[in-house]
Amino acid sequence: MALDSRKVIAYIENWENSFYKLYRWNTYVQFLSKSLKKHEVNALRLLAVETPIELAVLLRSTFEKIQFHINSPTYNEFFLKKKRGGKREISEPAYALKRIQNQLNKYLQAYYLCIKPEFIHGFVINPNYKASICNIAQNAKPHVGKKHLLNMDIQNFFPTISATRVRNLFSSSYFRNNIHMATALALLTTYKGKLPVGAPTSPVISNFVCIDMDTELFEYCKKNNITFTRYADDMSFSSDSPFNNVIIDALKSIIEKHGFQENPMKTRLSGANRKQTVTGLVVNQKVNVDRKFIRKVRAMMYDCKRNGLLLAAITHFGVPQRINEKQLNEKFRLRLLGYIDFIGQVRGKKDSLYLKFLNDFIALPKK
């Protein structure tokens, strides 16, 4: 079939214009970078994109590859068991698509970091030069010492966010894309009409989708002397005054207004006379690791000293299939070190318990 020469020439001109525009823009951004942080520069680069070809250049790909992944997305689907029973469906993008999504995620994360509310701590990638840190400890900190704590969870968080909502996000005032670009970005980041659990772009997109809800919840809480933070789908509210049904219903109403549902199985109220936890950390008097977790680390360390690394690994991991002794030992050491590092993140790197665990770990035999 003969090619239409006019279409070919138009395509080449469009590509050259887009490439030249991005070249000029990147030159300008490099000039601005003397006074801007790296994430601010990346945010500007993302917002400068107006056409699919410019998007392809930004993502270090080609128009044809972007178009292919939009029209024929490939995902590996499987299920993982939840801690409290049930299964979670995972849709992991194939390598080529995942590489493109990872590149897009870098720019989306940079932009979100520029506009992120201070009370949001989940799904945020902090550059090393930024003083503020977003983790579960920082999410729990504002709730320390409060007399009353209310924890709520968003049900089916990612799957609730439809492709239509994602398209509307990319065409909203936050991005100002035309409908064609917004649709292309939505198709590039969704699967089977929803936000997939397993795609690298899903967490930051969920944060963007929640901006209006987060703002309304914060404003309501501010008027009622309530502290509010959100970490992914976990929302925490604390106050020195009791949470009555009027307040709880108002919070639920705001959540539902923005297209989400509260999970009634995970909603819980706790007073100062009971253990109060926010994203798994105790907040009654200070942010602290749960005693059960500390006992677990202590038991793992004790087994290592008494029975050796291999027997300790078998005791706590069982006997995994298709893994040799060396791999099992290394897996156990890495897991134990990760637990110890977590204690240090929460309690502080100068904490005596953390230092004791760390010194004991260093002294462990490597076999």
Side-chain angles (χ1 to χ4, degrees):
M1 183 175 67
L3 290 173
D4 187 334
S5 60
R6 290 173 299 177
K7 289 184 177 180
V8 173
I9 292 171
Y11 175 84
I12 293 172
E13 287 178 347
N14 191 14
W15 169 262
E16 289 177 342
N17 289 336
S18 297
F19 192 85
Y20 182 59
K21 174 191 168 185
L22 283 179
Y23 171 77
R24 290 181 61 192
W25 176 251
N26 284 334
T27 303
Y28 179 60
V29 166
Q30 286 176 5
F31 172 75
L32 288 177
S33 64
K34 296 178 181 180
S35 59
L36 295 177
K37 298 293 186 182
K38 185 176 180 180
H39 71 279
E40 294 171 331
V41 172
N42 283 335
L44 288 174
R45 286 193 171 118
L46 174 66
L47 296 176
V49 171
E50 294 180 347
T51 69
I53 292 177
E54 292 171 10
L55 178 66
V57 174
L58 184 75
L59 301 183
R60 297 182 179 179
S61 186
T62 64
F63 176 77
E64 291 79 9
K65 288 180 180 179
I66 297 291
Q67 190 175 42
F68 172 79
H69 291 301
I70 286 174
N71 294 328
S72 306
T74 305
Y75 284 79
N76 177 30
E77 299 178 83
F78 55 95
F79 291 89
L80 291 179
K81 291 183 179 179
K82 294 181 179 180
K83 290 182 179 179
R84 298 182 180 179
K87 295 180 179 180
R88 176 178 286 107
E89 183 180 0
I90 307 296
S91 299
E92 183 181 14
Y95 174 78
L97 175 57
K98 191 173 185 177
R99 189 170 69 171
I100 290 172
Q101 290 179 344
N102 274 326
Q103 189 71 4
L104 178 58
N105 182 54
K106 178 179 78 173
Y107 291 102
L108 289 171
Q109 286 282 358
Y111 180 28
Y112 184 73
L113 197 60
C114 293
I115 63 174
K116 182 191 79 69
E118 293 183 1
F119 47 87
I120 304 302
H121 301 279
F123 300 149
V124 180
I125 298 177
N126 278 87
N128 294 331
Y129 55 77
K130 206 170 188 301
S132 61
I133 299 173
C134 293
N135 55 34
I136 61 172
Q138 293 301 313
N139 183 66
K141 198 172 182 179
H143 304 285
V144 170
K146 296 295 180 70
K147 293 180 180 178
H148 302 276
L149 175 68
L150 169 66
N151 288 313
M152 301 177 78
D153 185 271
I154 299 175
Q155 194 165 31
N156 297 323
F157 189 36
F158 283 3
T160 299
I161 301 174
S162 66
T164 301
R165 292 181 73 177
V166 176
R167 183 196 63 192
N168 292 341
L169 165 69
F170 284 122
S171 63
S172 70
S173 58
Y174 293 110
F175 290 90
R176 299 183 183 278
N177 288 303
N178 61 47
I179 192 64
H180 301 294
M181 271 295 294
T183 300
L185 285 164
L187 291 173
L188 192 62
T189 55
T190 59
Y191 182 58
K192 292 184 176 180
K194 59 188 178 183
L195 208 58
V197 178
T201 45
S202 292
V204 68
I205 288 175
S206 72
N207 271 343
F208 274 110
V209 170
C210 287
I211 287 177
D212 291 343
M213 179 188 73
D214 293 334
T215 302
E216 190 168 349
L217 284 171
F218 176 78
E219 291 300 327
Y220 176 84
C221 290
K222 186 178 179 181
K223 291 177 182 177
N224 291 275
N225 296 316
I226 298 169
T227 299
F228 163 61
T229 63
R230 181 176 64 83
Y231 191 98
D233 56 355
D234 292 325
M235 295 176 292
S236 298
F237 308 87
S238 61
S239 176
D240 288 327
S241 301
F243 288 95
N244 55 40
N245 290 334
V246 174
I247 291 177
I248 295 174
D249 289 343
L251 295 173
K252 290 181 181 179
S253 178
I254 294 172
I255 294 167
E256 292 172 4
K257 173 185 172 183
H258 291 277
F260 295 103
Q261 290 289 328
E262 161 253 358
N263 186 348
M265 300 296 292
K266 293 187 177 181
T267 298
R268 62 187 186 277
L269 277 166
S270 51
N273 59 337
R274 295 174 56 193
K275 183 173 72 172
Q276 297 175 323
T277 60
V278 173
T279 47
L281 300 177
V282 180
V283 294
N284 290 72
Q285 296 179 337
K286 64 178 183 178
V287 178
N288 203 354
V289 181
D290 193 286
R291 291 180 182 178
K292 290 181 181 179
F293 185 84
I294 293 175
R295 285 199 294 267
K296 180 179 181 179
V297 175
R298 188 174 282 124
M300 292 172 72
M301 193 70 72
Y302 177 78
D303 279 346
C304 284
K305 292 178 180 178
R306 183 175 181 180
N307 303 314
L309 200 58
L310 179 60
L311 288 178
I314 293 173
T315 299
H316 293 275
F317 286 169
V319 185
Q321 295 180 349
R322 299 180 183 178
I323 187 169
N324 58 39
E325 180 179 326
K326 185 178 179 180
Q327 289 175 324
L328 184 59
N329 286 347
E330 185 62 21
K331 180 182 178 182
F332 183 81
R333 283 179 60 86
L334 289 174
R335 179 72 61 83
L336 181 55
L337 181 59
Y339 288 162
I340 294 170
D341 187 59
F342 175 70
I343 292 173
Q345 288 180 20
V346 175
R347 296 173 64 113
K349 297 296 184 179
K350 295 181 180 180
D351 177 74
S352 58
L353 180 64
Y354 162 72
L355 292 173
K356 181 182 184 307
F357 279 148
L358 184 62
N359 290 330
D360 288 347
F361 176 84
I362 293 171
L364 288 176
K366 295 185 178 181
K367 295 183 179 180

